[in-house]
């Protein structure tokens, strides 16, 4: 007797995934039906009974089960192919894609950007293909996942000590996370410091829950809340000096009228006062000029050396390494958005 066709043994995760596909209200009906066949087979139902329940043929059920056993969940998602076969071979398509993603200057051409016309003419002139229309080239590139996109700028760090600074910051984070035990002389407390601002006295746009308008609105609902509009910025600006204590998961902040070296040192003295002087602390910060020691002003370095503090600078143009950056988005959202304060003290 031939062996009974059935789905291979599946684990709990796969079973829950099949159940989610079946319960989902959106997606392909074909995927839903295939998942139904697989799940029923997993539950011990025979091929004939599955065919009866799913209104299909036993051969179709066996086909789905065999495909699932071979390809897993990929077999549940249909990949239909039809219509006219592809005109260009796979090597030709790869070469077209490669040239389209390159710069014209790399081929000795006197322009900086490919257009469809220039790209098609170059492909024919180089003998990559015999002929291609502009629309055909557009469709081919779209099928290969290539689109015409705006080029964006990106600053890369040119810091000669990039690797050493990045490694030191990551080592301090490992100490703060408890992944590394600090050796003698290493910091036991790690703080991330940065400035937030400028803070202006003006209405800040925001979001809040309100009754909806439009076709289904309640005719007796209250007017939608609005903020006054103004372009004035009275009473100057303020700056928030903030520090994130990684060990305590706590944010400290002082509002200052200016962000200069003197105000920065005032805030550093406050951070130093939070721990006993024998406890060495590290402050991770960027290369903003008031944070640095210069030949004309050595106050920052002198203070750090005298008060058992390590200043760990992130590499140039790499302030994203500072963990406090992720806190500022939430701070702006929950503390500023939707407010209209009359004074900085308020």
């Amino acid at each position: 007797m031939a062996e009974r066709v059935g789905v291979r043994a599946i684990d709990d995760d796969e079973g829950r995934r099949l159940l989610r596909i079946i319960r989902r209200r959106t997606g392909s009906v074909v995927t839903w039906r295939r998942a139904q066949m697989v799940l029923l087979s997993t539950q011990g139902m025979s091929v004939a009974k599955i065919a009866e329940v799913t209104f299909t043929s036993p051969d179709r059920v066996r086909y789905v089960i065999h495909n699932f056993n071979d390809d897993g969940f990929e077999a549940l998602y249909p990949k239909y192919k039809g219509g006219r076969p592809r005109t260009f071979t796979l090597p030709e398509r790869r070469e077209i894609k490669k040239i389209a993603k390159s710069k014209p200057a790399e081929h000795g051409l006197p322009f900086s950007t490919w257009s469809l016309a220039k790209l098609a003419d170059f492909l024919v002139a180089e003998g990559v293909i015999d002929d291609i229309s502009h629309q055909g080239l557009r469709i081919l590139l779209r099928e290969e996942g290539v689109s015409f996109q705006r080029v964006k700028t990106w600053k890369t760090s040119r810091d000669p000590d990039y690797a050493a600074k990045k490694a030191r910051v990551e080592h301090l984070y490992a100490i703060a996370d408890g992944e590394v035990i600090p050796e003698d002389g290493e910091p036991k407390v790690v703080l991330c410091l940065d400035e937030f601002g400028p803070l202006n006295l003006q209405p800040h746009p925001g979001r809040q829950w309100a009754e909806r308008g439009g076709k289904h609105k309640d005719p007796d609902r209250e007017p939608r809340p609005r903020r006054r509009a103004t372009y004035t910025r009275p009473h100057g600006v303020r700056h928030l000096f903030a520090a994130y204590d990684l060990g305590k998961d706590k944010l400290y902040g002082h509002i200052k009228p200016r962000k200069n070296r003197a105000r920065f040192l005032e805030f550093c003295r406050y951070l130093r006062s939070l721990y006993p002087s024998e406890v060495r602390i590290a402050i991770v910060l960027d290369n903003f000029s008031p944070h640095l020691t210069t030949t004309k002003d050595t106050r920052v370095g002198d203070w750090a050396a005298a008060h058992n503090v390590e200043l760990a600078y992130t590499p140039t143009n790499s302030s994203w390494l500072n963990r406090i950056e992720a806190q500022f988005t939430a701070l702006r959202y929950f503390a500023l958005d939707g407010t209209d304060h009359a004074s900085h003290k308020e």
Side-chain angles (χ1 to χ4, degrees), residues 37-263:
M37 296 178 191
V38 172
L39 188 60
L40 290 174
S41 178
T42 302
Q43 296 168 350
M45 189 176 290
S46 66
V47 170
K49 188 64 177 178
I50 295 173
E52 182 181 345
V53 171
T54 57
F55 302 99
T56 188
S57 66
D59 289 339
R60 178 65 179 172
V61 175
R62 294 188 188 96
Y63 174 80
V64 171
I65 292 174
H66 284 309
N67 282 352
F68 182 84
N69 290 340
D70 293 337
D71 302 329
F73 281 86
E74 290 293 326
L76 302 182
Y77 299 94
K79 298 180 179 64
Y80 299 117
K81 294 183 179 180
R84 180 182 175 184
R86 292 183 173 181
T87 306
F88 303 104
T89 63
L90 182 60
E92 289 175 338
R93 299 175 75 90
R94 288 177 177 172
E95 186 65 19
I96 293 172
K97 178 179 178 180
K98 178 181 177 182
I99 294 176
K101 292 170 62 178
S102 66
K103 296 180 180 179
E106 297 175 4
H107 305 279
L109 300 175
F111 48 87
S112 60
T113 304
W114 291 115
S115 65
L116 287 174
K118 292 182 180 296
L119 180 58
D121 292 342
F122 180 77
L123 293 172
V124 173
E126 290 294 307
V128 177
I129 51 178
D130 295 332
D131 190 21
I132 189 171
S133 65
H134 300 167
Q135 184 61 21
L137 180 57
R138 188 197 306 275
I139 294 173
L140 186 149
L141 292 175
R142 185 186 301 132
E143 291 174 348
E144 294 296 323
V146 178
S147 61
F148 200 65
Q149 303 173 8
R150 182 180 296 276
V151 178
K152 297 182 179 180
T153 58
W154 175 257
K155 281 187 176 181
T156 57
S157 178
R158 297 184 178 179
D159 196 323
D161 300 323
Y162 176 85
K165 290 181 179 179
K166 182 173 182 289
R168 183 55 185 169
V169 171
E170 291 175 342
H171 179 71
L172 292 174
Y173 289 164
I175 292 176
D177 295 338
E179 299 175 357
V180 173
I181 299 176
E183 299 178 359
D184 293 338
E186 282 197 318
K188 294 180 173 59
V189 176
V190 181
L191 301 165
C192 294
L193 184 150
D194 201 4
E195 290 82 16
F196 178 76
L199 305 174
N200 302 298
L201 288 180
Q202 65 179 37
H204 293 275
R207 295 172 181 266
Q208 70 179 74
W209 295 103
E211 294 187 41
R212 64 179 179 177
K215 182 179 178 181
H216 303 287
K217 70 179 181 181
D218 183 356
D220 298 326
R221 71 183 178 91
E222 298 177 356
R224 181 170 295 174
R226 297 182 182 275
R227 285 282 163 207
R228 67 181 179 90
T230 178
Y231 295 97
T232 60
R233 308 256 198 300
H235 309 299
V237 301
R238 297 293 185 272
H239 303 274
L240 172 66
F241 283 77
Y244 180 42
D245 191 325
L246 302 184
K248 295 182 178 179
D249 191 26
K250 188 174 182 179
L251 198 67
Y252 301 94
H254 284 180
I255 302 293
K256 303 288 186 181
R258 289 174 294 278
K259 52 179 184 179
N260 52 26
R261 190 171 279 103
R263 305 294 180 176

Side-chain angles (χ1 to χ4, degrees), residues 192-332:
C192 294
L193 184 150
D194 201 4
E195 290 82 16
F196 178 76
L199 305 174
N200 302 298
L201 288 180
Q202 65 179 37
H204 293 275
R207 295 172 181 266
Q208 70 179 74
W209 295 103
E211 294 187 41
R212 64 179 179 177
K215 182 179 178 181
H216 303 287
K217 70 179 181 181
D218 183 356
D220 298 326
R221 71 183 178 91
E222 298 177 356
R224 181 170 295 174
R226 297 182 182 275
R227 285 282 163 207
R228 67 181 179 90
T230 178
Y231 295 97
T232 60
R233 308 256 198 300
H235 309 299
V237 301
R238 297 293 185 272
H239 303 274
L240 172 66
F241 283 77
Y244 180 42
D245 191 325
L246 302 184
K248 295 182 178 179
D249 191 26
K250 188 174 182 179
L251 198 67
Y252 301 94
H254 284 180
I255 302 293
K256 303 288 186 181
R258 289 174 294 278
K259 52 179 184 179
N260 52 26
R261 190 171 279 103
R263 305 294 180 176
F264 166 69
L265 285 173
E266 287 177 4
F267 186 58
C268 288
R269 293 189 190 100
Y270 165 73
L271 297 177
R272 175 68 271 185
S273 69
L274 298 175
Y275 293 93
S277 58
E278 64 271 12
V279 175
R280 184 168 178 79
I281 68 173
I283 301 178
V284 178
L285 66 173
D286 58 25
N287 293 272
F288 181 45
S289 56
H291 301 167
L292 303 175
T293 295
T294 63
T295 54
K296 294 183 179 180
D297 193 335
T298 61
R299 285 181 293 169
V300 174
D302 295 342
W303 174 84
H307 292 83
N308 199 19
V309 175
E310 175 186 348
L311 299 178
Y313 295 99
T314 60
T316 308
N317 295 331
S318 297
S319 59
W320 54 268
L321 276 170
N322 196 332
R323 284 190 180 180
I324 199 174
E325 296 288 351
Q327 307 295 325
F328 284 159
T329 300
L331 187 65
R332 184 182 298 278

